[in-house]
Amino acid sequence: MSGDFTAARGELIRRPGPFGPGRRTALTRLTDDWLRELFAAADATAGADIALVAVGGHGRSELAPGSDLDLLLLHRTDSRRAAQVADALWYPIWDSGVSLDHSVRTVAEARRLASEDVKVVLGLMDARVIAGPPELAEQLKKAVFSDWRAMASRRLPDLRELVDSRRERFGELAHVLEPDLKEAYGGLREATVIRAIAASWLTDIPHSSWQASIDFLLNARDALHWVSGRSGDVLLLQEQAAVAEALGLESDDHLLREVYAAGRSIAYASDTTWHRVTRLTRRAPRLSFRPVKRSGAPERLPLADGVVVQDGEVVLAADARPDRDPTLVLRAAAAAAQAGVPLAQHTVDRLARESAPIPVPWPRSGREAFVSLLGAGAPTITVWEALDQVGLISSLIPGWEVIRSAPQRNAIHRFTVDRHLVETAVQASALTRSVERPDLLLVSALLHDIGKGRPGDHSVVGAEITGQLCPMLGFDADDTATIVALVRHHLVLPDTATRRDLDDPATIATVTSVLDSHDLLDLMNALVEADSMATGPAAWSDWRRNLINDLVARSHAALAGTPHPEPPALTPEQLALAGMSGVQVTMEDLDDECTLTVAAPDRVGLLSLVAGVLSLHRLQVRAAKVTTLADRALQVWTVRPLYGDPPRVEQVADDIKRALEGTYDIAEKIAKRDAAYASSERIVHPQARVDIAVGASDSTTVLEVRSHDAPGLLHRVTGAVASADAAIVGAKVATLGSDVVDVFFLVDRLGEPLSEDHAAAVKVTVQAALA
């Protein structure tokens, strides 16, 4: 019996063809028929006191190839007989290799557990009888639903706590690079939660496209199980292309975009539902002034022209006419965001259905309302998402659809492209007091990455798009030029600060050639901070912020005509250290990082040797500066521990000394450590990129290395540079998620920039070391 089922199940799962409800229904029917046979063979049909019940996804007939069977053996009173039937059922299931989640309960026991555990309630809501008397399951469901409704106001907070905990653990489906299709917020689990809220009779649920989004995620999960041959619901990077192909999608990016869009739709339905729950279960707030109230009608609080607050939501006034008031949609959105109150769903739907097109160029009132929406802070996100879900954002901003739900395959980015832009505007709203034109800052924050998702350099493409959008929004030529410049050059400050020598006048001249006024420089500084904060913690560390602030201060000085400052001289302590014999090492703690100073006899490969020792001590390098004094080298390293406390300075000094003496093999130690952590599966990363930045400095040759981060990487690169007969006088290291951008400032033996041939030789040598 089990063998026949296993063969039939395997054939059904392997069968080619589209993924959809038909496959899930067929798999559920096949499984149910087999379970009925097992139930009959267990002699459970002799009497009317035992029923086999499917719960959860099995109860909803949503079995996927890797799904567990969620089964409840429900009985009245005879526990001994129920246990015998259970053994006769469970063992054949285990023998078949299908995963099983099982329980044996009386109706009273199941009801009691449901009253204690919200998770039990969620499973029993989809209970479906496979075999045995249906009235047993109906009796249980009726009791559970009745208890749930009676205690909903007390138990819904427990359900919300479960949702929040899951969201914290698995993230949001719409923004995770490797999303869990079931557990992430906005995933399949959310549908069960929304139905549970609806079953409480406390509020209705949104009737929108979220049900279609659930169907798509079910199809994606089916395809994932089919492709991977496993039961997990995490859409791993290495399986996304195959899943996309199985679903008939063009690429893995298209798959993620569809998954993200589905997750956003479901999350929006969930957020809307929970807002209604909160509004209905809390006491009405006390108002500081009397709202408008018509006889027999709910109280209405005026918010803006044609916009009022009613029952904790923003709605249109009774006489509002979206078809005759083109900027009403912007006014309502801005008023809602500034008040921190969500737009009612029926209001959003009406605005999408009836709003007249905004005249081009936008009137000043429309533009000001748009800027007000962007400057409202965190509430902007909720209002923006409401407009986006009904297509209003794409109608307001031509080209927005290209970046909507577009994935960013970069570990440092927390959000999709479009959400990142909105988050940047939110961060910029806190910086508006630091610039002369807050409106230009907010709009450039929203548009700075709009060129992504299209061929070419996204800064260049984005500037072209912005040049077309800004006049449409009603900005004049000068303001348009400013926003275009901000979009075109929004990477100049962070790239220059982290990859160039700020003591070199050529570096500052490069910045002021494109950011040629104090106002523009201040706007860019605020935009970079907002962009970095919206990206994630790795993009806005204290080290990165200090470098950018230093660059901005130097650029302001240059614009004011102040002479470029001389490079900072060595401190008396550093000079004293360099004057001592042998190897000398000091370490100074500075917040979350340390300054490590090494003085030693100068020799070829010294920097590489020290870099290797630092790597073995789990010290992540941020920057390095090298000064040669006669036959002594002074290295100043900015480092931070990868975890825990920094090592003892005596231990670092001792290891450097032993490495110089040849009794401590750095390369061997690093190789052994790598072997200890090596995965049994070979992981292929994109090839490292090595570039010579021509014309970046007048005093050095700038070498840039972009690579996947790995232990000992800096040791290998600096060793390759030394073997190519070049000296490193400075370095900056930026770790961005799993990638690094290392910049080295090189000179030859005479202290001059490298010749073209010498630079080419260094590049080839470093590439070979990283191959």
Side-chain angles (χ1 to χ4, degrees):
M1 187 184 302
S2 294
D4 293 342
F5 165 72
T6 302
R9 181 177 181 276
E11 189 278 329
L12 176 59
I13 290 174
R14 292 189 297 270
R15 184 183 303 168
F19 295 93
R23 271 180 178 261
R24 293 187 286 276
T25 300
L27 183 57
T28 301
R29 286 176 178 170
L30 176 66
T31 304
D32 287 354
D33 290 344
W34 176 56
L35 292 174
R36 291 189 189 99
E37 293 178 15
L38 295 178
F39 190 79
D43 200 28
T45 55
D49 59 350
I50 298 180
L52 182 62
V53 180
V55 298
H58 189 182
R60 295 189 298 273
S61 299
E62 292 176 353
L63 284 181
S67 292
D68 296 346
L69 299 186
D70 294 330
L71 297 175
L72 166 64
L73 193 62
L74 200 59
H75 66 98
R76 284 199 163 89
T77 56
D78 193 346
S79 299
R80 183 175 180 180
R81 181 165 178 269
Q84 293 173 343
V85 173
D87 287 344
L89 286 170
W90 306 156
Y91 279 99
I93 297 174
W94 287 326
D95 291 341
S96 73
V98 177
S99 297
L100 173 65
D101 188 358
H102 61 89
S103 59
V104 181
R105 302 277 186 267
T106 64
V107 171
E109 289 171 341
R111 182 179 184 180
R112 177 179 55 80
L113 288 173
S115 69
E116 298 171 351
D117 190 343
V118 172
K119 293 180 181 178
V120 176
V121 176
L122 298 179
L124 290 177
M125 284 187 174
D126 297 306
R128 177 176 57 82
V129 175
I130 296 175
E135 57 269 19
L136 265 181
E138 290 304 317
Q139 179 186 351
L140 174 60
K141 287 184 68 174
K142 184 176 180 181
V144 169
F145 274 102
S146 177
D147 294 345
W148 176 246
R149 289 162 185 153
M151 300 293 290
S153 60
R154 297 184 185 179
R155 303 200 66 191
L156 281 173
D158 295 336
L159 180 58
R160 182 59 186 263
E161 186 176 340
L162 284 177
V163 171
D164 291 343
S165 176
R166 180 165 47 80
R167 187 175 193 167
E168 179 70 23
R169 180 180 177 187
F170 296 97
E172 297 184 33
L173 182 68
H175 304 294
V176 181
L177 270 178
E178 294 186 327
D180 189 313
L181 300 176
K182 183 177 182 181
E183 301 293 350
Y185 186 71
L188 294 169
R189 185 76 75 184
E190 240 58 62
T192 305
V193 172
I194 293 173
R195 286 195 295 267
I197 295 174
S200 72
W201 290 359
L202 190 63
T203 182
D204 59 351
I205 60 177
H207 299 285
S208 60
S209 60
W210 72 272
Q211 291 95 340
S213 297
I214 290 291
D215 289 340
F216 173 78
L217 292 185
L218 288 170
N219 294 345
R221 184 178 67 170
D222 290 351
L224 174 61
H225 289 186
W226 184 75
V227 164
S228 66
R230 56 180 175 80
S231 60
D233 297 326
V234 178
L235 190 58
L236 298 175
L237 288 173
Q238 61 264 31
E239 292 165 347
Q240 290 174 7
V243 172
E245 183 179 0
L247 291 172
L249 299 173
E250 185 176 332
S251 67
D252 50 356
D253 271 1
H254 283 80
L255 169 66
L256 273 189
R257 188 186 287 263
E258 293 293 331
V259 168
Y260 289 165
R264 288 176 65 175
S265 175
I266 297 165
Y268 178 70
S270 176
D271 291 341
T272 302
T273 303
W274 279 114
H275 168 72
R276 292 174 179 174
V277 170
T278 302
R279 178 166 54 88
L280 292 170
T281 55
R282 72 181 179 187
R283 294 180 179 178
R286 298 181 63 180
L287 302 175
S288 58
F289 53 94
R290 184 176 299 277
V292 177
K293 181 175 175 64
R294 296 181 177 87
S295 177
E299 294 181 334
R300 290 189 160 204
L301 175 66
L303 204 57
D305 183 19
V307 184
V308 299
V309 175
Q310 176 181 304
D311 291 336
E313 296 180 325
V314 171
V315 300
L316 299 183
D319 56 352
R321 293 291 301 270
D323 57 328
R324 298 181 182 178
D325 188 352
T327 62
L328 178 60
V329 59
L330 295 172
R331 203 161 61 248
Q338 288 290 341
V341 180
L343 286 164
Q345 186 59 49
H346 63 83
T347 298
V348 176
D349 293 338
R350 184 183 174 193
L351 289 169
R353 187 174 60 250
E354 299 180 14
S355 290
I358 301 177
V360 176
W362 286 9
R364 180 175 179 176
S365 61
R367 185 176 70 255
E368 290 178 349
F370 184 64
V371 171
S372 178
L373 168 62
L374 297 180
T380 297
I381 297 171
T382 301
V383 175
W384 189 277
E385 186 66 15
L387 301 180
D388 199 21
Q389 285 294 320
V390 294
L392 279 169
I393 297 298
S394 295
S395 66
L396 290 170
I397 307 175
W400 189 263
E401 195 64 29
V402 176
I403 58 169
R404 187 181 189 275
S405 296
Q408 304 209 71
R409 294 189 176 274
N410 187 320
I412 69 169
H413 273 283
R414 296 180 294 173
F415 302 110
T416 55
V417 176
D418 60 329
R419 174 65 179 272
H420 170 70
L421 294 181
V422 181
E423 290 281 350
T424 303
V426 169
Q427 295 294 337
S429 69
L431 304 172
T432 53
R433 302 296 184 271
S434 65
V435 297
E436 289 292 326
R437 291 291 302 276
D439 56 335
L440 304 187
L441 172 62
L442 292 168
V443 173
S444 63
L446 183 73
L447 299 179
H448 75 276
D449 276 348
I450 200 167
K452 288 186 174 181
R454 300 167 171 87
D457 183 329
H458 81 276
S459 298
V460 176
V461 175
E464 294 174 355
I465 296 171
T466 301
Q468 299 168 4
L469 285 177
C470 286
M472 183 203 80
L473 299 177
F475 288 104
D476 62 26
D478 289 341
D479 289 347
T480 295
T482 298
I483 298 174
V484 168
L486 291 168
V487 173
R488 173 64 184 88
H489 301 297
H490 72 272
L491 296 177
V492 165
L493 288 183
D495 284 357
T496 303
T498 58
R499 302 176 194 174
R500 296 294 179 266
D501 182 2
L502 302 192
D503 292 327
D504 189 336
T507 299
I508 308 305
T510 299
V511 173
T512 56
S513 67
V514 293
L515 304 176
D516 55 5
S517 72
H518 293 287
D519 287 346
L520 183 58
L521 188 58
D522 286 338
L523 281 166
M524 185 64 82
N525 190 25
L527 174 58
V528 168
E529 180 173 347
D531 183 15
S532 301
M533 294 285 286
T535 298
W540 196 240
S541 61
D542 290 343
W543 171 79
R544 188 180 180 93
R545 183 183 66 246
N546 291 337
L547 285 176
I548 291 174
N549 287 343
D550 187 15
L551 174 59
V552 170
R554 291 169 183 254
S555 299
H556 271 305
L559 290 173
T562 304
H564 188 83
E566 293 295 322
L570 296 177
T571 66
E573 292 80 9
Q574 291 171 338
L575 286 171
L577 199 69
M580 297 179 186
S581 62
V583 176
Q584 305 294 330
V585 180
T586 64
M587 185 183 298
E588 180 184 3
D589 289 337
L590 299 170
D591 296 329
D592 66 336
E593 59 190 26
C594 305
T595 297
L596 188 81
T597 305
V598 179
D602 196 16
R603 54 173 277 186
V604 175
L606 176 63
L607 192 74
S608 175
L609 182 149
V610 176
V613 171
L614 298 182
S615 174
L616 289 171
H617 282 281
R618 308 290 185 185
L619 291 172
Q620 184 183 60
V621 176
R622 288 288 186 78
K625 191 79 173 178
V626 180
T627 304
T628 302
L629 301 171
D631 61 347
R632 300 279 290 172
L634 187 76
Q635 302 174 0
V636 181
W637 299 81
T638 302
V639 300
R640 72 170 182 176
L642 284 174
Y643 47 81
D645 296 326
R648 291 185 304 110
V649 66
E650 295 82 5
Q651 184 62 55
V652 176
D654 185 59
D655 287 346
I656 294 174
K657 291 175 184 176
R658 291 193 294 136
L660 282 170
E661 294 167 354
T663 60
Y664 190 68
D665 192 327
I666 300 293
E668 181 185 6
K669 294 286 186 182
I670 291 177
K672 285 184 177 180
R673 185 184 66 183
D674 291 351
Y677 287 93
S679 170
S680 58
E681 181 180 349
R682 183 171 181 266
I683 301 175
V684 179
H685 299 293
Q687 184 177 356
R689 176 177 168 179
V690 181
D691 293 305
I692 300 293
V694 179
S697 172
D698 294 333
S699 57
T700 64
T701 296
V702 180
L703 174 74
E704 288 189 1
V705 177
R706 300 167 183 260
S707 173
H708 186 82
D709 197 12
L713 177 69
L714 189 59
H715 170 68
R716 295 205 305 274
V717 173
T718 53
V721 171
S723 69
D725 198 26
I728 299 174
V729 295
K732 289 184 176 180
V733 178
T735 303
L736 305 174
S738 60
D739 293 322
V740 295
V741 180
D742 294 351
V743 181
F744 305 91
F745 306 104
L746 312 181
V747 295
D748 60 18
R749 290 188 177 187
L750 299 177
E752 298 294 328
L754 306 186
S755 67
E756 187 175 335
D757 290 343
H758 195 176
V762 170
K763 178 178 178 179
V764 171
T765 306
V766 173
Q767 285 175 327
L770 298 178

